[in-house]
Every structure is written in structure tokens, then in C-alpha cells.
Amino acid sequence: MVHFMKILSLLLASSLLGMIQGSPNVIKKKKQQNQTGLKKANFQKVINGKKTNLFFLKNDNGMEVAITNYGGRVVSIMAPDRNGKMADVALGFDRLDGYLNNNEYYFGAVIGRYANRIAKGRFTLDGKTYHLPINDGPNSLHGGNKGFFARIWDARQLDSRNLLLTYDSKDMEEGYPGDLKVQVLYTLTQDNSIRIEYTAVTDKPTVINLTNHTYFNLNGAGSGKITDEKLMINGDSYTPIDDTEIPTGKIDPVKGTPFDFTSPTVIGKRINADNQQIKFAKGYDDNWVLNKDFKGQLSLAARVTDPNSGRVMDVLTTEPGIQFYSGNFLDGVKGKDGKPYKYRTALTLETQHYPDSPNEPDFPSTVLKPNQIFHSITIYKFRTE
Ligand code: GAL
């Protein structure tokens, strides 16, 4: 409603302007308008000599995605419901300051160098032990205190549907070895997909695990709980965790547990189950092992369906795992339009290698060597039913 009023008043303002200045202006003004009402000016700053900004991707169906180069963050996703009505389905802030002054650091961000947890912030590579910032209980989470989510990426808008972000992470930044050059290409496709393509190269052996941390609520950001939404995860097993959310090293079948989402299941159905794993994370916050025909296959990982709006989101990835996090730590922080983002009002589906892989020799390797190219693709595809 607030959105509608905002859009209406903008439309009125631009047509009034058109009446004063002549009709061509009306067309021009309308074209420049962004559906979200987000203003570039609110994202333009200079931080440590680097410029931040807001970029818009648009396709021919009217879908619109806003991204800032501060942390490579998805700020908003305007997607249609079953009646064609648009709503913003991604949590975020109206202005850069919202991201800078917030203690939940990861809204919409690119996460690296290592997404998810590394036990005790420590790993050994080629006989040398590396120490990372401890920022989540006894562990290192999401690349440290100033991971990629807090870096200013170089941005190049290639055209209306493609934004290229690049970042050079220096040797030993946040404790990780090697100069790492990272590239993230965001594409809004004509079939309503947000395609994220990650590429990286290093000059020394290192570990890498990249993801995106967009919080989704398919009924609209800040519109209530996600526990009514249905979820399917294409994974027959998962990696159980200890009480600090570090994998035990085992890979267990989901069958007969609250982690079985192999057929679409309402998220709230088992979220409060009397289950030790659920209790450790205060809800869902786990890594599923994705079913694949072969390593690196771009295949369906998860599907979220919102019965209310009819929106459906398919997640496809080349990554071997996915973290489903049910927003258990959201605490009511006020986001876009002043809407509070409360407990379990959004979910993340973070495609990834398994948490703590550098300390688990039996998990798929996250080591990147100088003669290799890191490459992965994740797609969030929107449709309705
Ligand atoms: C998730 C992580 C959660 C929590 C969240 C941010 O990726 O698995 O445990 O840290 O990010 O609050």
C-alpha cells in the first residue's frame, strides 16, 4: 500500500511536471522511474576513496532488481504475483547508511572469501596454519569482520540487464592467503531469473567459498512470517552440526527427520520440532547436500512457493550444497519503508560448498590453486502459479 501510494505520488508529480514543461518530459520522467522508489542519491558516498552507488537491472517483463556495489548487495527485487502485481521480495534498506549502521551485516551481500563457518577460525593448507577473525561464537563466519559484504566493489553496468562487479582481495586480507581477484556478474534474464556468476583466480593456494545472502520473503519484504511458505530442497542428505553450528563431519540422510524437504513441505510444520539439530540453530540453519548427476551440474537445488501471492522461486546452482536459514536471528531491524524485519520473516538459500570444508578432508575441496579458475553459477528464478 505504501509502495502504491509512493508510486502514485511520483506519477502525479511527473505528469504535473510534464504539464508545465510539455509532454515529452512526461515520457522521459516515467522512463527514469524505478518501481521501488529507491533513490540512487541515497547510495552515493565515498568510502576510503571508493564510490558507492545503486544500479538497476530491468527486463522486458517489468521485473526490476537494484544492486549496490557496497558488498555487492541485492537491495531489492520487484517481482509479480499471480495477478501481475509487483512487490519487493528482498529485504534491505532505503539508503546506504542502513547497511553501514546495522549489526546484521549480510543483507543481500556477496559473501566471501569463505561463506559460512570455519571452526575456531583456523585451517591448515600445505602445512601452514592460518588464523581468521573469530566473529561467531568460537568460529569464523562469512569471511570475517570485513568480508566481501563490507567491501566496495568496482562496478560496471554493461547494459540494462547486466552488472559486473570486481574486487581484488589482497594477500592475507581477513587472514586468507593469496591475492584473489573476484568477479561477480549479475544478470536479470528475460525469463525473470537473477543469474549470479562468480569467477576468481589466486596467485597462491587458498580456500574459497562464495555465496549470496539475500533474505527473501515471497509475499513481500516485511509482510510477515515465512513459515507458511512451502519449501522443496533437492537433497537426500545434510551435514549435521554441533552446538556452535560446525558440521560434525558426518553426512546423514534427511529421511524421517525435520530436514526432509525432498517433497514440498510447509516450513512451519516442523520448525519447532523436538530435535537437537533444530534446537542448536533455533530453527533451520543447515547445509543440505544437493542431489546431482555429476559434479558441477547446474541443477535445481530448491523451490519456494508462497500460497498467498502465488510467487514461486526456483534456485539452481552448480554448487554442491545449500544453506537454508529461516531468519532465526532477525530481530525487528527496520528496513525499506520502515518495515520491521522480525524473527523468521525471511529466509535465505545460500548456495555453497559445505561449511568448514577446509577442516574436513572428506568434504568436496574448497582449495583454489594459482593455475585454476574458480567458477560457479546460481540462479534465482521467479514465476507464479
Ligand atoms: C547465515 C548463517 C546464520 C546466521 C546468518 C546471519 O548464513 O548460517 O547462522 O549467521 O547467516 O544472521
Side-chain angles (χ1 to χ4, degrees):
M1 191 62 190
V2 181
H3 263 125
F4 177 73
M5 295 302 288
K6 216 178 218 175
I7 289 166
L8 193 73
S9 62
L10 281 170
L11 277 176
L12 276 174
S14 73
S15 57
L16 279 177
L17 206 79
M19 277 160 71
I20 300 164
Q21 298 180 344
S23 56
N25 232 312
V26 177
I27 294 161
K28 210 172 152 204
K29 283 280 161 188
K30 270 189 189 159
K31 271 198 178 157
Q32 281 174 355
Q33 237 159 57
N34 299 306
Q35 294 184 39
T36 50
L38 290 171
K39 293 191 185 68
K40 270 176 171 278
N42 291 336
F43 286 80
Q44 288 164 340
K45 279 206 164 192
V46 179
I47 303 176
N48 299 331
K50 288 200 152 197
K51 283 186 182 165
T52 61
N53 209 341
L54 187 67
F55 303 86
F56 290 93
L57 304 182
K58 296 172 194 209
N59 71 10
D60 292 347
N61 310 318
M63 200 171 147
E64 180 188 287
V65 178
I67 297 164
T68 174
N69 61 326
Y70 174 72
R73 291 163 191 263
V74 172
V75 175
S76 78
I77 302 171
M78 296 297 285
D81 70 3
R82 61 163 77 83
N83 301 315
K85 189 169 165 267
M86 304 300 269
D88 191 347
V89 296
L91 274 58
F93 299 94
D94 291 315
R95 49 188 63 238
L96 197 72
D97 292 350
Y99 292 94
L100 297 173
N101 308 326
N102 178 26
N103 56 12
E104 214 301 356
Y105 308 104
Y106 314 113
F107 281 94
V110 174
I111 307 290
R113 293 188 182 195
Y114 198 95
N116 215 298
R117 293 169 176 81
I118 295 185
K120 312 242 174 352
R122 201 163 61 205
F123 69 95
T124 303
L125 188 59
D126 297 336
K128 198 174 165 210
T129 299
Y130 294 91
H131 297 272
L132 313 168
I134 305 294
N135 60 349
D136 187 72
N139 306 315
S140 190
L141 176 67
H142 289 334
N145 297 323
K146 228 180 154 211
F148 292 173
F149 62 87
R151 302 286 170 174
I152 310 202
W153 294 65
D154 289 325
R156 203 143 58 90
Q157 178 129 23
L158 305 177
D159 56 39
S160 60
R161 294 194 290 106
N162 287 283
L163 179 72
L164 182 66
L165 301 177
T166 50
Y167 178 64
D168 288 354
S169 177
K170 292 288 164 231
D171 188 25
M172 295 313 286
E173 187 178 284
E174 296 296 292
Y176 292 88
D179 273 334
L180 187 79
K181 289 190 190 309
V182 196
Q183 182 173 299
V184 177
L185 176 64
Y186 278 107
T187 303
L188 175 60
T189 69
Q190 297 289 31
D191 71 352
N192 288 4
S193 296
I194 301 170
R195 183 180 187 276
I196 312 176
E197 182 169 6
Y198 306 86
T199 318
V201 288
T202 181
D203 68 348
K204 281 185 197 151
T206 191
V207 296
I208 183 168
N209 190 22
L210 302 179
T211 194
N212 177 277
H213 205 289
T214 298
Y215 284 94
F216 299 97
N217 181 327
L218 294 191
N219 194 41
S223 73
K225 298 224 176 205
I226 44 85
T227 39
D228 291 341
E229 296 183 1
K230 262 194 199 160
L231 176 66
M232 185 285 294
I233 300 179
N234 185 17
D236 292 340
S237 48
Y238 76 117
T239 51
I241 47 175
D242 68 14
D243 60 352
T244 72
E245 294 201 41
I246 291 293
T248 60
K250 289 207 304 188
I251 293 185
D252 278 357
V254 293
K255 208 171 173 27
T257 76
F259 298 93
D260 187 354
F261 282 96
T262 48
S263 55
T265 309
V266 174
I267 292 171
K269 191 169 168 200
R270 299 163 306 183
I271 202 169
N272 297 316
D274 186 13
N275 172 290
Q276 188 65 73
Q277 289 290 307
I278 292 262
K279 285 184 187 156
F280 281 156
K282 301 183 176 58
Y284 291 105
D285 191 5
D286 298 83
N287 171 65
W288 272 253
V289 173
L290 294 171
N291 300 333
K292 299 249 172 210
D293 294 334
F294 54 89
K295 187 174 167 243
Q297 183 189 22
L298 178 63
S299 55
L300 184 66
R303 170 171 295 157
V304 189
T305 311
D306 173 40
N308 200 21
S309 64
R311 288 189 188 89
V312 180
M313 181 177 79
D314 285 346
V315 185
L316 294 94
T317 190
T318 55
E319 286 294 298
I322 197 165
Q323 185 88 5
F324 162 45
Y325 166 57
S326 54
N328 314 316
F329 306 120
L330 288 173
D331 60 0
V333 59
K334 288 208 170 70
K336 285 171 282 187
D337 288 332
K339 287 182 185 157
Y341 297 149
K342 295 187 190 149
Y343 181 58
R344 294 183 181 164
T345 58
L347 58 85
T348 69
L349 286 161
E350 303 156 51
T351 56
Q352 61 185 4
H353 271 59
Y354 313 160
D356 201 31
S357 295
N359 294 308
E360 291 291 350
D362 291 339
F363 286 178
S365 173
T366 50
V367 174
L368 182 70
K369 298 196 174 134
N371 57 351
Q372 298 172 327
I373 297 177
F374 174 91
H375 183 237
S376 84
I377 297 171
T378 290
I379 293 170
Y380 296 99
K381 181 171 197 266
F382 295 85
R383 56 194 175 81
T384 58
E385 62 175 39

